[in-house]
């Protein structure tokens, strides 16, 4: 892995900002899950998001992708403010995966990815019923693109398998393929290696680099520190909802506050 | 080798199925013949379409049994020489769809010449066209909706819609006015509230009542409707009560009328409730409880105790050993069947087959005239009964007692 | 999926006797047909005559014929057939069949004493067949290894089977007696199950999958030919038209329930909307609107009105949880019924004549073709109901087209995604709200369309035709038949409409049985009799075995088994 | 003003009935997020249970002291049915897709109605009337009979009984939920079933208790209905259940006090609609329409109901 070097040099000002979250705050009743967090992601950059359990990472993701309406703050994608509606966020070009895999278990791998193409295709009821040339063209294109993406993430041979019958690691990859099918400019990965063995983790890392090389920005939540520090250009550490440290992997790694936070971190569950 | 076996299996399946389809049932064909029991009489069937299952099964079975009784008596007395009459009863479940199926089934049976039924006006609406298309005479013992005989604009421009349709019961347009005259002239009640359940029967009664009552000079102080699915009427009663009516005229049937009467009195509105033959039932008194004393109802014909023919019917019915009572419409059904039999005496006399006599039966129906259980049975130009004798009954103790019998003119 | 009741040791020692047991069973059955079943000659089409089989006796003999065939097959032990399974089905159904008849004889003639020797002989035969089925060895069959026939021959098989189907249906409908009808159905299940269970059924399915178009064509041809088997009689056609209307509406509901996964408990209101619009715009003397446009326009107005109601009711409620939708649609159904009940001039404007409804709706007349008249085609008279039957069949085909095409499209995938995980679907860019609303309004549209024809076919509309129970019936056609499939709904609709019509004796218990059926189905087979594979998986989320089984079937269907990859059939499957 | 006061009384009476039934929906929903569609039938069974008790033991006796026994009989019938129903139709489906228990509930609902309709009149050990149509309900003295007059406002005795029953039941419920161990366990399960299970609470038992509590109140409502309208029938559960569900949603489903508030609100709205909506769309025929319209409006603008409830957003 020599990519780390290029990554560190890549983190410089003057590059195009893809995603900008400014002062995002999320409160549930009296509980402040995310407190005034700002984040900026540039083109072709891999940003890591770490923090102990319950630090609000997934909640922050949910705010970014419109699944939660943030109490305060705005999220902009390529300069345009994102409305807090998942649908519009995806259309604008941000896709995600889930911490606890949320595939469509009873669909085949191919169909899962084809669902991802939904927002980039347009056949509606009448077209589907009449089955004109436009419909056939679009359907063929969808299928082709989905197969391409499966090949891309290394699942080319599992096309017709039901998602629920696939091995755990493959399910994570399939989720990434499904997210990529929405033609995103930025990809949010929520613990993409959770439950993976070291070899699978390594493969996933390769895949993320490959995605970045395609010009996408990537934000990753992960508990595996080694993975994060090898992968990311920049790392943000959240603790109890607020941003503690931001910097290069080396900076964050050596920051004593981060270490303290991890040792003293409480073990509260968080979910989507 | 295996291939040949496949073909063999397939072929045997085919042969088996074809044999099956070809054979038909011996039993089904035999049944029709054995009914003749050795005589060379020709068979004519009279159908019945009525609810034989479900909530209204009791009324339906009363209809079917009464027709059966009439047919048996006719066969015994050889009323139509050379012919045996048979009953073909079909269940309509009080639903238009099912009723239509039953009618279609009867219409496609070549032996059927006439049908007694239906109980419900709504079912009649879907049965009428089917039977009319096949020229089958239909006589209803229970439909009271004037539109069935006189068309959509029965009040303004009556027009007969189906020449095959007759009925032995009076329509709402006679019962309502009869009640109005009784209340205004005999009981001396000049202020009244009306309530109906919006159904054909109830609304028809109240409309006819209101017209006559206001013409006589009475005053309708409140007019309300209820939903027959409801159990509680206190909201309606609260609306009526402040207008202080001296009686309430109710258009509808006993399942609602009984509780309405009870709740009315429990809410302090202590005036009599009057209704049509729909509430003239023992069930009404059970549901209305002790406070129903003094409530009134009209019913068609003179009280059965006063007519000799009615007594004979009741005795014959009881002797017939039927499991279910003849109920409210038994007498009308018996009369309906006898009206048909009278018409058949003419139409079947020199007919080759039952099917050939259908048209003649329809024509003969309009000339039928005899003294039936419910009074004189004859039909006017629309197919309605010409009998106009009605009786007012009142609740006394726990039974209905006749109050006054009169002919409506 | 074989159920082994007998222990392996017993099977091993007594296995070789199985063919002889089966043979004996078959012969006993054949014999029983020649014997008397009932002392009483007035019931069940007279079963008292010996050596002159008819009706039920004939069915018993058919059990015998198939039993003997299977016994012979078992003796020759073909490696590609599994007579054991066929025998088990045949035997078990045979027991049910015989017990049912003996019970009916005993009930109808007032005592078990009236059941004659034939039934008991047949009962022994049925037990022997079952025993043989459980004793004989199971063969794993792969129908794809059967010798291939030329594609013309395959099509011929399909056509012949369809012809048999047509005759069977015509024969079945001609049975008037409820008990005989039921026993024929049981016999049919046993006989078909006995033959098809051997692996022949799988083979037919295989042929069918390879010739999908000819199969569809043949099926529709059969449906179109059905009225010609009725010899001008309208009795069965009247039932058939009602089955068709019911099936069409249920199929529309299946889009909502089976595909989009939304529970609609007021669906009948949409059918009612169409019917009422058609009635109000018809030339009935009771029609309340003066405007009488041509029927094609009426159809569109009716369907559009229903769809609009769908949108109005759907848009607020589809945002909240599915349970709410169920209750709100139920409330909407009630609102519809009450509104139709009330809008009679007393309460609100006079639109519907209130509880009396709008009767005397004239027959349809399209392009000079009067639906009320008898038309003679090829010497066979086709009555009023046959005319409607054809139109309704076309409508059903249209709804089937809409159903399958929507299902196999981007929209269909979206619906599956919503059913699987609505939040994830939304996060993946699926317009969940829009798709749900689409399902809801398309369903309403189709029901409205069916309603306009129903009004003319019924000649009257009234509020009591559109009560909650009717919605529940529609829903159970979907649940019983199979969520998300066309065939399932057709099966469900036929069962629910035809059985009560034919088994009028037990009509009073119809609803009781029906309620129980819903509970039992949800408990043991929530996906219905003919489910879509996906729906089956969804209802058995924790059943890993099932998912692998269906997976294998899917791969097979997609011809991904490298050994069997044959390009021409790949095309056939598409 | 008289009309207003009169309809207020009517509305409160009606509302009390709705509230008693609505609690059953809301308690069960609060714990397992299941709409017990067949709850209306539990209400109906309660009424028939009371009637049966009276017919078997006290036929002809209309004294007040009979009433408590009838209540007991009603509760027994309702609770048994509800518990069996949970056991047979719902528990096996707890992890099935949402459609399954709802359809199962419809099945149960139809089954119970039909069972009463077909078999009530032919129960072997007792001489019960045929239940295919309305059956008269015993008019217990003191709680029925001449109405009280308050100026121009009529207050029926059965209305007082109904409102009184609601007050007593609400008090009992408050005590049960807040001061008993089972009640507090119930609250815990409704907050977080998984944690509750970890804390050693037998969730299955709590669910059964929830069904039983709902059934008890529905049984009392059944008697109140019988006394008010003087007759009962096998269909009475359908519309009442639907209205009570509306009331539960109105108050905020899952919230016990919401059900009470929602029930009273709905009752008053209905009564007022009959009196005060002018023109042809007013009056009794439209009151159900207005009730259901209210349900839809609430779902659009305030899906969590008047008092608010757990987040209703469950896919």
């Amino acid at each position: 892995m020599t990519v780390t070097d290029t990554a560190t040099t890549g983190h410089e000002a003057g590059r195009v900002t893809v995603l900008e979250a400014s002062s995002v705050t999320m409160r549930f009743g009296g509980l402040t899950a995310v407190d005034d967090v700002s984040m900026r992601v540039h083109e072709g950059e891999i940003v890591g998001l770490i923090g102990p359990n319950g630090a609000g990472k997934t909640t922050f993701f949910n705010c970014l992708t419109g699944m939660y309406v943030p109490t305060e703050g705005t999220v902009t994608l390529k300069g345009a403010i994102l409305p807090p509606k998942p649908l519009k966020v995806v259309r604008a070009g941000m896709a995600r995966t889930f911490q606890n895999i949320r595939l469509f278990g009873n669909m085949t791998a191919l169909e899962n990815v084809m669902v991802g193409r939904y927002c980039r295709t347009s056949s509606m009821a009448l077209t589907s019923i009449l089955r004109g040339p436009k419909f056939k063209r679009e359907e063929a294109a969808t299928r082709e693109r989905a197969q391409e993406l499966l090949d891309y993430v290394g699942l080319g041979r599992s096309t017709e398998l039901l998602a629920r019958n696939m091995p755990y690691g493959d399910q994570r990859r399939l989720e990434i393929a499904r997210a990529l099918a929405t033609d995103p400019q930025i990809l949010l990965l929520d613990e993409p290696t959770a439950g993976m063995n070291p070899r699978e983790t390594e493969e996933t890392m390769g895949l993320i680099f490959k995605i970045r090389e395609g010009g996408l920005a990537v934000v990753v939540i992960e508990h595996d520190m080694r993975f994060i520090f090898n992968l990311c250009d920049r790392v943000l550490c959240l603790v109890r909802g607020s941003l503690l440290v931001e910097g290069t992997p080396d900076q964050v790694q050596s920051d004593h506050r981060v270490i303290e936070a991890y040792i003293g971190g409480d073990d509260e569950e968080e979910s989507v | 080798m295996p291939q040949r076996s496949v073909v063999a299996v397939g072929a045997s399946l085919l042969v088996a199925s074809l044999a099956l389809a070809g054979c038909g049932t011996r039993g089904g064909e035999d049944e029709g013949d054995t009914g003749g029991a050795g005589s060379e009489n020709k068979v004519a069937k009279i159908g019945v379409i009525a609810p034989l299952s479900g909530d209204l099964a009791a009324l339906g079975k009363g209809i079917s049994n009464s027709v059966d009784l009439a047919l048996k008596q006719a066969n015994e007395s050889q009323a139509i020489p050379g012919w045996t009459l048979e009953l073909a009863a079909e269940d309509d479940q009080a639903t238009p769809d099912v009723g239509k199926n039953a009618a279609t089934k009867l219409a496609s049976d070549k032996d059927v010449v006439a049908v007694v039924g239906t109980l419900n006006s709504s079912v009649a609406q879907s049965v009428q066209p089917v039977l009319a298309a096949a020229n089958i005479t239909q006589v209803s013992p229970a439909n009271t909706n004037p539109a069935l005989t006189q068309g959509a604009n029965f009040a303004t421009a009556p027009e007969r819609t189906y020449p095959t349709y007759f009925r032995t019961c009076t329509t709402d347009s006679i019962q309502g006015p009869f009640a109005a005259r009784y209340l205004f002239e005999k009981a001396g009640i000049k202020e009244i509230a009306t309530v109906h359940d919006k159904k054909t029967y109830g609304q028809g009664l109240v409309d006819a009542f209101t017209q006559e009552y206001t013409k006589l000079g009475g005053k309708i102080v409140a007019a309300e409707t209820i939903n027959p699915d409801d159990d509680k009427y206190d909201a309606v009663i609260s609306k009526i009560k402040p207008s202080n009516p001296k009686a309430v005229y109710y258009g509808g049937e006993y399942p609602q009328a009984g509780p309405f009467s009870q709740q009315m009195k429990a809410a302090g509105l202590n005036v009599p409730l009057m209704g049509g033959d729909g509430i003239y039932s023992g069930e009404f008194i059970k549901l209305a409880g002790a406070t129903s004393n003094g409530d009134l109802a009209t019913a068609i014909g003179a009280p059965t105790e006063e007519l000799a023919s009615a007594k004979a019917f009741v005795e014959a019915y009881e002797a017939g050993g039927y499991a279910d009572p003849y109920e409210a419409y038994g007498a009308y059904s018996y009369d309906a069947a006898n009206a048909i039999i009278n018409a058949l005496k003419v139409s079947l006399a020199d007919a080759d087959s039952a099917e050939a006599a259908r048209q003649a039966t329809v024509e003969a129906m309009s000339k039928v005239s005899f003294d039936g259980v419910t009074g004189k049975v004859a039909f006017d130009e629309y197919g309605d009964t010409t009998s106009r004798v009605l009786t007012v009954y009142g609740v006394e103790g726990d039974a209905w007692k006749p109050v006054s019998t009169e002919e409506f003119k | 999926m074989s159920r082994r009741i007998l222990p392996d040791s017993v099977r091993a020692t007594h296995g070789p006797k199985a063919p002889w047991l089966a043979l004996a069973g078959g012969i006993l059955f054949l014999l029983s047909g020649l014997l008397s079943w009932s002392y009483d000659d007035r019931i069940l089409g007279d079963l008292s005559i010996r050596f002159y089989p008819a009706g039920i006796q004939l069915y018993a003999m058919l059990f015998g014929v198939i039993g003997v065939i299977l016994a012979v097959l078992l003796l020759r032990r073909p490696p590609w057939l599994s007579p054991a399974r066929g025998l088990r089905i045949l035997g078990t159904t045979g027991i049910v069949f015989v017990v049912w008849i003996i019970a009916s004889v005993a009930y109808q003639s007032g005592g078990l004493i009236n059941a004659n020797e034939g039934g008991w002989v047949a009962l022994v035969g049925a037990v022997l067949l079952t025993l043989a089925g459980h004793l004989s060895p199971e063969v794993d069959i792969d129908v794809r290894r059967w010798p291939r026939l030329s594609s013309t021959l395959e099509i011929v098989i399909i056509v012949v089977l369809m012809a048999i189907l047509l005759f069977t249906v015509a024969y079945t409908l001609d049975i008037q007696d409820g008990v005989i009808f039921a026993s024929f159905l049981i016999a049919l299940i046993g006989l078909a199950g006995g033959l098809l269970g051997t692996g022949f059924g799988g083979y037919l399915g295989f042929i069918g999958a390879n010739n999908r178009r000819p199969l569809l064509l043949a099926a529709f041809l059969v449906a179109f030919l059905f009225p010609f088997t009725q010899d001008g009689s309208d009795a069965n056609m009247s039932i058939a038209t009602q089955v068709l209307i019911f099936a069409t509406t249920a199929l529309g509901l299946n889009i909502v329930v089976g595909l989009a996964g939304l529970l609609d408990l007021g669906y009948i209101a949409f059918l009612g909307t169409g019917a009422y619009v058609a009635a109000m715009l018809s030339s009935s003397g009771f029609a309340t609107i003066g405007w009488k446009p041509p029927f094609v326009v009426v159809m569109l107005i009716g369907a559009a009105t229903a769809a609009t109601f769908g949108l109005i009711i759907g848009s607020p409620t589809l945002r909240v949880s599915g349970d709410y939708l169920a209750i709100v649609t139920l409330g909407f159904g009630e609102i519809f019924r009450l509104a139709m009940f009330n809008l009679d001039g007393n309460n609100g404007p006079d639109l519907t004549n209130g509880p009396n409804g709008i009767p005397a709706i004239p027959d349809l007349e399209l392009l000079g073709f009067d639906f009320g008249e008898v038309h003679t085609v090829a010497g066979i008279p086709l009555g009023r109901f046959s005319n409607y039957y054809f139109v309704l069949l076309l409508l059903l085909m249209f709804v089937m087209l809409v159903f399958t095409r929507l299902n196999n499209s981007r929209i269909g995938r979206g619906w599956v995604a919503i059913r699987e995980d609505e939040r994830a679907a939304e996060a993946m860019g699926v317009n969940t709200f829009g798709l749900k609303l689409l399902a809801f309004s398309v369903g309403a549209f189709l029901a409205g369309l069916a309603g306009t024809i129903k009004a003319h076919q019924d000649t009257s509309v009234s509020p009591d035709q559109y009560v909650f129970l009717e919605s529940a019936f529609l829903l159970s056609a979907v649940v019983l038949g199979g969520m998300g499939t066309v065939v399932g709904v057709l099966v469900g609709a036929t069962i629910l409409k035809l059985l009560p019509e034919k088994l009028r004796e037990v009509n009073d218990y119809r609803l009781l049985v029906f309620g129980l059926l819903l509970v039992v189905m949800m408990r043991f087979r929530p996906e219905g009799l003919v489910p879509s594979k996906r729906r089956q998986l969804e209802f058995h989320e924790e059943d890993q075995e099932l998912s692998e089984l269906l997976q294998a079937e899917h791969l097979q269907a997609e011809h991904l088994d490298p050994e069997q990859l044959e390009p021409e059939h790949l095309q056939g499957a598409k | 003003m008289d009309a207003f006061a009169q309809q207020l009384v009517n509305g409160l009476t009606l509302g009390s009935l709705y509230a008693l039934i609505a609690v059953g929906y809301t308690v069960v929903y609060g714990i397992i997020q299941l709409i017990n569609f067949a709850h209306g039938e539990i209400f109906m069974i309660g009424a028939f249970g009371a009637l049966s008790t009276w017919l078997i033991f006290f036929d002809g006796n209309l004294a007040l002291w009979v009433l408590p026994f009838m209540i007991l009989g009603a509760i027994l019938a309702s609770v048994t049915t509800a518990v069996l129903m949970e056991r047979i139709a719902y528990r096996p489906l707890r992890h099935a897709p949402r459609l399954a228990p709802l359809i199962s509930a419809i099945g149960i609902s139809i089954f119970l109605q039909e069972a009463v309709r077909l078999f009530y009149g032919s129960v072997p050990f007792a001489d019960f009337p045929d239940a295919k149509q309305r059956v008269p309900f015993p008019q217990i003295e003191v709680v029925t009979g001449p109405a009280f007059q308050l100026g121009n406002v009529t207050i029926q005795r059965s209305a007082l009984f109904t409102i009184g029953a609601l007050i007593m039941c609400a008090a009992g419920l408050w005590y049960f939920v807040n001061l008993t161990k089972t009640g507090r366990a119930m609250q815990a399960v409704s907050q977080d079933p998984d944690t509750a299970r970890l804390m050693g609470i037998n969730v299955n038992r709590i669910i059964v208790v929830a069904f039983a509590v709902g059934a008890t109140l529905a049984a009392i409502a059944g008697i109140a209905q019988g006394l008010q309208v003087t007759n009962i029938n096998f269909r009475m559960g359908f519309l009442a259940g639907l209205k009570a569900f509306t009331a539960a949603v109105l108050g905020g489903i899952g919230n016990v006090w919401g059900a009470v508030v929602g029930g009273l609100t709905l009752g008053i709205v209905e009564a007022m609609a009959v009196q005060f909506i002018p023109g042809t769309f007013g009056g009794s025929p439209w009151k159900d329409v207005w009730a259901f319209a209210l349900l839809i409006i609430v779902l659009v603008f305030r899906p969590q109901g008047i008092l608010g409830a757990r987040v209703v957003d469950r896919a």
Side-chain angles (χ1 to χ4, degrees), chain A residues 1-244:
Chain A
M1 283 285 159
T2 51
V3 206
T4 345
D5 303 330
T6 52
T8 33
T9 51
H11 167 52
E12 289 305 329
R15 293 175 61 178
V16 183
T17 305
V18 183
L19 175 77
E20 182 166 10
S22 41
S23 315
V24 171
T25 301
M26 184 76 214
R27 286 191 206 97
F28 296 104
L31 180 86
T32 308
V34 177
D35 192 2
D36 194 27
V37 176
S38 297
M39 182 175 83
R40 192 187 281 262
V41 183
H42 307 286
E43 216 168 51
E45 191 181 28
I46 302 178
V47 175
L49 204 56
I50 60 168
N53 277 330
K57 303 182 297 284
T58 296
T59 310
F60 182 56
F61 255 35
N62 285 343
C63 290
L64 293 181
T65 53
M67 292 181 89
Y68 290 161
V69 181
T71 322
E72 279 162 40
T74 52
V75 181
T76 54
L77 192 71
K78 284 262 172 87
I81 293 185
L82 285 179
K85 297 253 168 60
L87 208 62
K88 292 186 175 154
V89 170
V90 181
R91 288 226 183 99
M94 175 152 59
R96 68 171 295 178
T97 67
F98 296 91
Q99 183 183 1
N100 43 348
I101 301 173
R102 291 179 86 162
L103 282 168
F104 309 121
N106 298 317
M107 294 175 105
T108 63
L110 187 73
E111 285 168 329
N112 264 284
V113 183
M114 283 170 88
V115 170
R117 293 298 297 161
Y118 186 92
C119 61
R120 301 295 170 205
T121 45
S122 62
S123 305
M124 275 319 282
L126 215 54
T127 336
S128 306
I129 293 167
L130 296 177
R131 300 259 142 136
K134 181 198 167 239
F135 174 83
K136 286 184 180 146
R137 229 181 301 126
E138 195 177 270
E139 198 69 5
T142 305
R143 190 171 287 272
E144 199 183 327
R145 174 85 179 121
Q147 184 61 51
E148 246 173 59
L149 283 165
L150 283 175
D151 292 337
Y152 182 76
V153 301
L155 293 173
R157 293 169 63 90
S158 312
T159 315
E160 292 298 336
L161 287 183
L162 288 179
R164 68 190 250 185
N165 287 350
M166 292 168 79
Y168 196 72
D170 285 1
Q171 292 197 7
R172 289 251 180 242
R173 285 160 182 275
L174 181 55
E175 240 196 345
I176 294 174
R178 184 179 67 177
L180 286 175
T182 63
D183 290 348
Q185 295 169 6
I186 179 164
L187 188 62
L188 310 188
L189 303 175
D190 199 343
E191 300 197 22
T193 67
M196 283 187 175
N197 62 33
R199 200 178 61 83
E200 284 173 328
T201 308
E202 192 124 319
E203 281 170 8
T204 306
M205 198 182 294
L207 179 61
I208 296 173
F209 283 132
K210 197 157 88 173
I211 291 167
R212 188 258 297 276
E213 266 143 43
L216 269 70
V218 181
V219 183
V220 186
I221 292 179
E222 196 43 86
H223 279 292
D224 183 343
M225 290 303 155
R226 212 170 66 85
F227 176 79
I228 281 284
F229 294 133
N230 283 337
L231 182 76
C232 299
D233 304 326
R234 199 149 49 83
V235 176
L236 279 74
C237 179
L238 287 186
V239 172
R240 277 186 219 99
S242 31
L243 187 59
L244 188 71

Side-chain angles (χ1 to χ4, degrees), chain C residues 124-144:
Chain C
V124 176
V127 171
L128 286 182
L129 286 177
T130 318
L131 202 62
H134 282 289
L135 276 177
S136 43
E138 195 81 27
V139 183
D140 271 334
I141 35 174
D142 183 356
V143 290
R144 290 172 306 164

